[in-house]
Amino acid sequence: MCGIVGYTGNKRASGILLGGLKQLEYRGYDSAGIAVMDQNKITVVKASGRLENLCRRTNDGDSVPGGAGIGHTRWATHGAPTEENAHPHLSNDGRFAIVHNGIIENYLSLREELIAEGYHFESETDTEVIVHLIDMYYDGDMRSALAKAASRLEGSYALGVICTEEPDKIYAAKEASPLIVGAGIGENFFASDVTALVSHTRNVIYLEDGEFAELSPDSIRITDCFGKVIDKKVSRISWDVQAAEKGGYEHFMLKEIMEQPAAVSAAISPRIKDGRIVFDELSITAEELKHIHKIVITACGSAYYAGCAGKYAIEQLCRIPVTMELASELRYSDPLIDDHTLLIVISQSGETADTIAALKECKARGARTLAVVNVVGSAIANLADDCVYTWAGPEIAVATTKGYTTQVSVLYMLGVYFGELLGKVGDQYDYLVDELLLLPRRVQETIDMNPGIEALAEKYHNSKALFFIGRNTDYATALEGALKMKEISYLHAEAYAAGELKHGTIALIEEHQPVIALCCNPLIMEKTLSNIVEVKARGAEVLALTFRSNDKIVSSADDLLFIPKTTALFSAVTEVVPLQLLAYYVAKANGCDIDKPKNLAKSVTVE
Ligand code: G6P
């Protein structure tokens, strides 16, 4: 949601800003704009809809001169996605322009106060109050005006600001929304995430909450709210620009599906040394673990479903009760959480607003917290007591694929690791470590053994609805399979615990209703087989996902998808792959915008 870029240097800012916004498109947006300063004059250009509209309007930036500026992609919250509401917003006298990611919760009272002071508003946004506050507090010192304005704000923000009085400077501030500074030579940048910076510089500074950045072409100054300079570490981004490009694939989603063998390997292999799982980054000890009475896993969207898959392995291997909580529910549930609770938060982006809030809530109640995160230096990574990175690399498609499989892989590893620390794994340990090490190869085998998915998609893409059924670990994967389908193909897709069919859902089964049956857990396979027979008796078309050797299922289904044989405890990582591909090809057959599905955002930074 909302992307921010800022540039100051000797090049034409507009081109760099538009290029940066292009890289941030994946976050989700519905309008865009830039503000560029040239000889003490700010030019603002905005357009609703896709970035192409803004590029056309600015002649790809050529019609907007100037070397310092800010840009924004907006995902509408306060006010429709119109040009008036698009950022940047200008102060009434045109001296200041601002871009903002986040939500200002007290904007209504600030708006009233500013109207009483004589300011007039051009938009319906919460953001516009900030530019007028800066104008009100400005007395020749931009940094101090920004700090004073920020001190009045409740909510979350990443801000980029320019001021005509300081023509080569760009300013930034951050609270609970991501912002990163990029350090170049003779030029400096800021952006919501590194994908917008990596083609210009790989040297970045992760801003923390309450920090302010003042950038000129030759200097970077990071200060606290009192103006005290903070000495920040410059980090080097390890991946290069190709990692954030399509690399010959038609869509990022397909590229990211195909990258999964490597991504799962990056999550698992470096953490297994001489046959032992090693989490160098974890500080929690065996003694502390013994003190834990329950584990709560919380997240949103696919990250939540990754938790559902990981829950089985962690509970089985550690023999500690594990409960799943949606972050948006947990935060308001007055949860029974104390210092005997281990809270595991999962987030690809590390910046999902509800997940951050749930983490803060549980931390305040004394929980020990552990984050499983992909984006390095993100808010959740910084907030949790411990952070295990998934090392999936940049994920651009809105619908997560390698983000999910690497999260599940890390949860499996944590299950074995904690179980061993607690003395519960016993002589299964070597077998489980071998199974983990085999997962990347099995993901590749899964891709290779299902060449007919595009043809299957042709059969199913016109369906009114798709039902996914499974039990136990299969049910966890069914949840993610159904979510993938609805996110990108806009088909009605739901996952049901197969045992629950008889309690209602079976009433929906009619002639030719597609049912996707997940049958990869030998312990309950016979039970799912009964459910397949029941839906077939009512006319359903069954597409079963199972092992090749599973004769009973193979002979009962109308169509088949396969995974290689694997322990059920770790099956979600392979099992989800054919479902991702099915969703992809159904969406493609339906002509959907696969990488940027309507109404969705990659990073959901609002409640
Ligand atoms: C959005 C994305 C999903 C993601 C969810 C949680 O809805 O579109 O793909 O699973 O947010 O995001 P997170 O970054 O916390 O994993």
mmCIF file of all heavy atoms in Angstrom, residues 22 57 75 99 105 145 237 240 251 298 306 330 334 343 392 411 433 449 458 507 556:
data_model
loop_
_atom_site.group_PDB
_atom_site.id
_atom_site.type_symbol
_atom_site.label_atom_id
_atom_site.label_comp_id
_atom_site.label_asym_id
_atom_site.label_seq_id
_atom_site.Cartn_x
_atom_site.Cartn_y
_atom_site.Cartn_z
ATOM 1 N N LYS A 22 7.628 2.876 -10.289
ATOM 2 C CA LYS A 22 7.368 1.657 -11.087
ATOM 3 C C LYS A 22 7.730 0.418 -10.248
ATOM 4 O O LYS A 22 6.999 -0.564 -10.229
ATOM 5 C CB LYS A 22 8.236 1.745 -12.356
ATOM 6 C CG LYS A 22 8.121 0.622 -13.315
ATOM 7 C CD LYS A 22 7.125 0.968 -14.433
ATOM 8 C CE LYS A 22 6.598 -0.268 -15.106
ATOM 9 N NZ LYS A 22 5.184 -0.498 -15.002
ATOM 10 N N ARG A 57 1.503 11.895 -18.850
ATOM 11 C CA ARG A 57 1.256 13.301 -18.520
ATOM 12 C C ARG A 57 2.542 14.102 -18.366
ATOM 13 O O ARG A 57 2.566 15.313 -18.536
ATOM 14 C CB ARG A 57 0.446 13.343 -17.223
ATOM 15 C CG ARG A 57 -0.273 14.605 -17.007
ATOM 16 C CD ARG A 57 -1.326 14.446 -15.964
ATOM 17 N NE ARG A 57 -2.566 13.949 -16.523
ATOM 18 C CZ ARG A 57 -3.718 13.947 -15.863
ATOM 19 N NH1 ARG A 57 -3.774 14.409 -14.646
ATOM 20 N NH2 ARG A 57 -4.807 13.510 -16.427
ATOM 21 N N TRP A 75 -2.794 4.203 -2.350
ATOM 22 C CA TRP A 75 -3.865 3.204 -2.238
ATOM 23 C C TRP A 75 -4.918 3.866 -1.365
ATOM 24 O O TRP A 75 -4.704 4.079 -0.171
ATOM 25 C CB TRP A 75 -3.302 1.931 -1.592
ATOM 26 C CG TRP A 75 -4.216 0.752 -1.662
ATOM 27 C CD1 TRP A 75 -4.307 -0.161 -2.684
ATOM 28 C CD2 TRP A 75 -5.154 0.322 -0.665
ATOM 29 N NE1 TRP A 75 -5.238 -1.121 -2.389
ATOM 30 C CE2 TRP A 75 -5.789 -0.851 -1.152
ATOM 31 C CE3 TRP A 75 -5.533 0.799 0.588
ATOM 32 C CZ2 TRP A 75 -6.748 -1.548 -0.434
ATOM 33 C CZ3 TRP A 75 -6.506 0.105 1.300
ATOM 34 C CH2 TRP A 75 -7.104 -1.053 0.781
ATOM 35 N N VAL A 99 4.497 13.831 0.663
ATOM 36 C CA VAL A 99 3.912 12.522 0.367
ATOM 37 C C VAL A 99 3.879 11.739 1.669
ATOM 38 O O VAL A 99 4.726 11.933 2.548
ATOM 39 C CB VAL A 99 4.721 11.750 -0.710
ATOM 40 C CG1 VAL A 99 4.553 12.379 -2.070
ATOM 41 C CG2 VAL A 99 6.199 11.630 -0.345
ATOM 42 N N GLU A 105 -4.612 9.238 12.519
ATOM 43 C CA GLU A 105 -5.879 8.929 13.188
ATOM 44 C C GLU A 105 -6.580 10.173 13.716
ATOM 45 O O GLU A 105 -7.801 10.212 13.802
ATOM 46 C CB GLU A 105 -5.627 7.926 14.325
ATOM 47 C CG GLU A 105 -5.364 6.530 13.765
ATOM 48 C CD GLU A 105 -4.659 5.601 14.721
ATOM 49 O OE1 GLU A 105 -4.451 5.980 15.894
ATOM 50 O OE2 GLU A 105 -4.306 4.492 14.286
ATOM 51 N N ALA A 145 10.475 22.240 11.871
ATOM 52 C CA ALA A 145 9.041 22.304 11.520
ATOM 53 C C ALA A 145 8.484 20.899 11.323
ATOM 54 O O ALA A 145 7.377 20.583 11.766
ATOM 55 C CB ALA A 145 8.853 23.124 10.244
ATOM 56 N N ILE A 237 22.745 -4.148 0.484
ATOM 57 C CA ILE A 237 21.728 -5.103 -0.001
ATOM 58 C C ILE A 237 22.456 -6.201 -0.764
ATOM 59 O O ILE A 237 23.254 -5.928 -1.665
ATOM 60 C CB ILE A 237 20.729 -4.401 -0.948
ATOM 61 C CG1 ILE A 237 20.041 -3.263 -0.221
ATOM 62 C CG2 ILE A 237 19.701 -5.382 -1.474
ATOM 63 C CD1 ILE A 237 19.302 -2.337 -1.155
ATOM 64 N N ASP A 240 20.687 -8.368 -6.280
ATOM 65 C CA ASP A 240 20.860 -7.314 -7.283
ATOM 66 C C ASP A 240 19.547 -7.059 -8.022
ATOM 67 O O ASP A 240 18.523 -7.678 -7.756
ATOM 68 C CB ASP A 240 21.999 -7.648 -8.245
ATOM 69 C CG ASP A 240 21.743 -8.964 -8.943
ATOM 70 O OD1 ASP A 240 20.571 -9.383 -8.982
ATOM 71 O OD2 ASP A 240 22.701 -9.568 -9.425
ATOM 72 N N HIS A 251 4.940 -13.248 -15.933
ATOM 73 C CA HIS A 251 4.496 -12.564 -14.715
ATOM 74 C C HIS A 251 5.478 -12.828 -13.581
ATOM 75 O O HIS A 251 6.088 -13.896 -13.519
ATOM 76 C CB HIS A 251 3.110 -13.063 -14.278
ATOM 77 C CG HIS A 251 2.037 -12.780 -15.274
ATOM 78 N ND1 HIS A 251 1.592 -13.716 -16.165
ATOM 79 C CD2 HIS A 251 1.329 -11.641 -15.511
ATOM 80 C CE1 HIS A 251 0.648 -13.166 -16.925
ATOM 81 N NE2 HIS A 251 0.480 -11.909 -16.548
ATOM 82 N N THR A 298 0.384 -15.769 15.127
ATOM 83 C CA THR A 298 -0.525 -14.755 14.587
ATOM 84 C C THR A 298 0.038 -14.157 13.303
ATOM 85 O O THR A 298 1.257 -14.070 13.123
ATOM 86 C CB THR A 298 -0.829 -13.659 15.627
ATOM 87 O OG1 THR A 298 -1.953 -12.903 15.180
ATOM 88 C CG2 THR A 298 0.344 -12.714 15.839
ATOM 89 N N ALA A 306 0.206 -19.920 6.444
ATOM 90 C CA ALA A 306 1.516 -20.559 6.653
ATOM 91 C C ALA A 306 1.593 -21.030 8.106
ATOM 92 O O ALA A 306 2.069 -22.134 8.404
ATOM 93 C CB ALA A 306 2.647 -19.575 6.341
ATOM 94 N N LEU A 330 -6.855 -10.860 17.141
ATOM 95 C CA LEU A 330 -6.076 -10.994 18.383
ATOM 96 C C LEU A 330 -5.905 -9.646 19.085
ATOM 97 O O LEU A 330 -6.062 -9.526 20.301
ATOM 98 C CB LEU A 330 -4.703 -11.606 18.054
ATOM 99 C CG LEU A 330 -3.735 -11.799 19.221
ATOM 100 C CD1 LEU A 330 -4.289 -12.808 20.215
ATOM 101 C CD2 LEU A 330 -2.380 -12.278 18.729
ATOM 102 N N ASP A 334 -8.522 -8.893 23.994
ATOM 103 C CA ASP A 334 -8.100 -8.957 25.389
ATOM 104 C C ASP A 334 -7.490 -10.340 25.657
ATOM 105 O O ASP A 334 -7.951 -11.096 26.513
ATOM 106 C CB ASP A 334 -9.325 -8.712 26.291
ATOM 107 C CG ASP A 334 -8.907 -8.522 27.753
ATOM 108 O OD1 ASP A 334 -7.693 -8.402 28.000
ATOM 109 O OD2 ASP A 334 -9.786 -8.525 28.633
ATOM 110 N N LEU A 343 4.903 -16.042 21.441
ATOM 111 C CA LEU A 343 4.128 -15.531 20.311
ATOM 112 C C LEU A 343 5.005 -15.601 19.066
ATOM 113 O O LEU A 343 6.093 -15.021 19.042
ATOM 114 C CB LEU A 343 3.707 -14.082 20.558
ATOM 115 C CG LEU A 343 2.887 -13.495 19.409
ATOM 116 C CD1 LEU A 343 1.412 -13.858 19.555
ATOM 117 C CD2 LEU A 343 3.038 -11.989 19.315
ATOM 118 N N ALA A 392 13.677 -15.261 1.349
ATOM 119 C CA ALA A 392 13.030 -15.587 0.070
ATOM 120 C C ALA A 392 13.465 -14.644 -1.047
ATOM 121 O O ALA A 392 13.188 -14.894 -2.210
ATOM 122 C CB ALA A 392 11.513 -15.532 0.225
ATOM 123 N N LEU A 411 9.005 -22.488 9.805
ATOM 124 C CA LEU A 411 8.203 -23.002 10.928
ATOM 125 C C LEU A 411 8.488 -24.485 11.160
ATOM 126 O O LEU A 411 8.597 -24.933 12.306
ATOM 127 C CB LEU A 411 6.713 -22.781 10.666
ATOM 128 C CG LEU A 411 6.262 -21.313 10.631
ATOM 129 C CD1 LEU A 411 4.805 -21.215 10.209
ATOM 130 C CD2 LEU A 411 6.445 -20.644 11.993
ATOM 131 N N VAL A 433 15.597 -34.024 9.851
ATOM 132 C CA VAL A 433 16.562 -33.096 9.240
ATOM 133 C C VAL A 433 16.778 -33.480 7.774
ATOM 134 O O VAL A 433 16.814 -32.619 6.885
ATOM 135 C CB VAL A 433 17.894 -33.094 10.032
ATOM 136 C CG1 VAL A 433 18.978 -32.348 9.273
ATOM 137 C CG2 VAL A 433 17.681 -32.446 11.398
ATOM 138 N N MET A 449 6.549 -32.649 -12.171
ATOM 139 C CA MET A 449 5.622 -33.769 -12.367
ATOM 140 C C MET A 449 4.181 -33.320 -12.652
ATOM 141 O O MET A 449 3.293 -34.156 -12.755
ATOM 142 C CB MET A 449 5.688 -34.762 -11.183
ATOM 143 C CG MET A 449 5.174 -34.293 -9.868
ATOM 144 S SD MET A 449 5.942 -35.223 -8.479
ATOM 145 C CE MET A 449 5.303 -36.857 -8.733
ATOM 146 N N GLU A 458 -7.907 -24.726 -18.200
ATOM 147 C CA GLU A 458 -8.879 -24.502 -19.276
ATOM 148 C C GLU A 458 -10.219 -25.131 -18.916
ATOM 149 O O GLU A 458 -11.283 -24.612 -19.210
ATOM 150 C CB GLU A 458 -8.369 -25.111 -20.595
ATOM 151 C CG GLU A 458 -7.300 -24.272 -21.281
ATOM 152 C CD GLU A 458 -7.810 -22.875 -21.629
ATOM 153 O OE1 GLU A 458 -8.974 -22.744 -22.037
ATOM 154 O OE2 GLU A 458 -7.036 -21.905 -21.453
ATOM 155 N N ALA A 507 -24.541 -29.423 0.843
ATOM 156 C CA ALA A 507 -25.773 -28.920 0.228
ATOM 157 C C ALA A 507 -25.464 -28.112 -1.043
ATOM 158 O O ALA A 507 -26.333 -27.927 -1.901
ATOM 159 C CB ALA A 507 -26.539 -28.050 1.227
ATOM 160 N N SER A 556 -10.222 -42.876 -8.066
ATOM 161 C CA SER A 556 -11.523 -42.270 -7.736
ATOM 162 C C SER A 556 -11.713 -40.879 -8.345
ATOM 163 O O SER A 556 -12.846 -40.413 -8.444
ATOM 164 C CB SER A 556 -11.675 -42.092 -6.224
ATOM 165 O OG SER A 556 -11.327 -43.244 -5.568
#
